[in-house]
Structure formats: C-alpha cells, structure tokens
Amino acid sequence: MNGPTSAEILQRAEAMVPELRARAADCEMNGCVSSEIASAVHEAGFPRLMQPARYGGWERSPELLLDVSAALASGCASTAWVTSLFAVNSWIAARFHPRAQAELFGDDGRAALPLVLNGARTTELIASGDGFCVSGQWAYCSGIDLAEWVALAAVQKHADGDIQYLCLLPRADIRVEEGSWNVLGLRGTGSKNVAADRVFVPAHRAVRVVDGEIEDLSGSSEDRRALYKIPVMPLFASVLASLSVGIARGALDDTTKVVKRRGPTVVAQTRLGRIGAQIGLAEGALRSNFRRLEQTAAEQAPEMDAVGIRARSQASEVTWLCVAAVRDCASIAGGAAIMSGGQIERALRDVHTLASHALLGQDAPAEQHGRLLLDGQP
C-alpha cells in the first residue's frame, strides 16, 4: 500500500476541521482557498487519493474520498469542493497518455488540476500538425488560482459528427477572467471563467469524450486496476453529493449548539433527531453507491451501466435530502441562522449552490432510473 493508512488519512482530514471552520469566512471573502490551506491539503495528500501509484498517487478506494470530503465540508465547503475536485480530476487524468501524466504529475507527484467538462461557453478545436489548436471560453474552473495545469473540453467540428476532446493545457497558456465568480454560495472555490486563444495542444495531451465518458489512452487495459474502470459521471456525482453530507453535518453541529444555548425543548430535540437520522440515511446510501461502483468495476460485471444509472440518481437524491436537512437546521436555529456570514447561513447558501450543479439535478437522473425500472435496460 502506498502512503499512510486510510485511518491516518481520515484523521488528517478531521484534524483540519477546526481551522477550516475558523477560516471559512475569510475563504469566502477572498474568493479562493488560501495558499496556507492549499499547502496543508497537499501535505495531507488528499489530491493523491485516487492518483496512479506510478505517478506518486495512493490509488485508494473512492469510499475514502467520501469520508475525507464530508469531513472537510463540515468545516469549509469551499475548501472541500476544491480538494475533492483535485482528487477526482487526478483520477480522471489517469486516462491520459502516460507522457501527459508524467508532465502533469511531475517528479514529486503533486498536482492541482482544475477540469471543465461541461462548462464550455464557446470552443474551437482545429487539427494542427501532431495535435490541435484550441480556443474558447469556459466557466466554473474551480481552484484555478492554485493550479499549474488545467483540463478543458473542446469540440472538433466534423461533417459526419462533432468530436469532443478533453485537452490538458499549462496554466500559463490560458487567461483567467478575474471577477467572474460572483455567486450565492461556495464563493471560496474561485471557480472563475477562463479563456484560450489558439493554444497548441500536442496529441498526447488530448483524449476523446463520448457521452460523458473519457477515452483511456493510459496503456494496456489488462494492467489497469478496477479503480480506473469506474464510469466517470456516476462517481463524479457521488463525490459531489458527499460534500452535501458534510455541509449538513456541520449545520447540524452548529444548530445543536444553538439549541443547547437556548435550552432544549421536546420539539427541538425531536427535530434534531430527525435531521440526524436523515443525514445518516443519506450517508449510508452514498456509501453503498461507492461500494457498488467499485465492486462492479472489479468484477467487470456487465451491469455496470445500470449500476451507474442508479448511483447517479441516488447521488442526486442524497444531495437534496441534505438540502432539506440544512433548511430544517436553519428553521430550528431561527435568528441565529440569518446573520450574514454565520456558519448556518453559509451552509444554507453553500448546499443550495452545490445542488445547482448539472450532475445533481433530480429530473434527468430520475428519468434514466425510471426507464431502467420500467424496461430493465439502461
């Protein structure tokens, strides 16, 4: 096993929570994760969790990322968002050509990779020599201020059908639109707009994207661990949903303190108990998602498409269950929840912003899940 034990990694995340909570307001006000917190995240190794071992990663189960993400989100949702995406994006980068991975991860295996797959405003990808020239504008480039590389999706026009590629570019080759991240919540993620103008991308730094799944150019499939055979979208949605669990946990802790300070009542005690049960149910469903995805990939079972559909649908429902839990916390806290910049008020804004992500919308995943239930086919 590479790196520390899973228990040690989770202990590192839990140990960071008090400082994250203390600095959450500053993170939000500054619009990005501080360099000090970013360094602590890298020292703890969280972005390496699912990174390939040959490039300095730890190749751990995605279920560990659930625990780490939820713990961090109970302290600062913005820090948890950026950290979790760096971890997932390093996992996605394992599909790139080995030469591209060597460039990204470098000699020390340390990478902070923002990735925009569905946030393109306009893109142009033109074949040029042994590669492409890419131009375009992209939104929601989370953590770009902390990065040296960025992965951006762009479309190459063809008469018989367009082809989408995910391109790996040096941070120095793109332009960041400062002041473009003005939002309700998750303000500290620094998910700014970026742009590129005729940037050359060598062929080894581009992979095709088909129906949301990313081509694997890493080498022989027989050498690949099951971790890298899990579909991208269901896992991505499940990781995002894990943040909602952490946000809800933090809101419940803060609301419990408010109730204790005021003096518990039977009504408040009952409502807190129901919220705690809801969060526990959400976490349990999500944990089952991660385990089922990993097990199905390990067994190379033919029902992976169906498992992925159920996982994404459940990730969405988990998120909205946690949204309801945070709303109930705010209702119980009353006046203590309406002060601008307070922990509960921030949790309320953060969890609603999280739930607005395209992967967590309820209708599309539920429609797919319903079709599976009716037809028995993905």
Side-chain angles (χ1 to χ4, degrees), residues 75-121:
C76 175
S78 290
T79 300
W81 174 277
V82 172
T83 302
S84 300
L85 291 191
F86 283 170
V88 172
N89 295 344
S90 289
W91 169 74
I92 292 175
R95 291 160 174 77
F96 277 86
H97 188 281
R99 184 176 168 191
Q101 292 188 59
E103 292 170 344
L104 168 66
F105 296 118
D107 294 333
D108 62 0
R110 178 167 172 163
L113 179 66
L115 184 152
V116 182
L117 193 57
N118 296 315
R121 298 284 176 83

Side-chain angles (χ1 to χ4, degrees), residues 23-32 78 181 187-188 346 349:
R23 301 180 66 158
D26 289 339
C27 179
E28 182 172 69
M29 181 179 65
N30 295 330
C32 65
S78 290
W181 184 239
R187 295 173 180 171
R346 185 180 303 109
R349 289 187 288 103

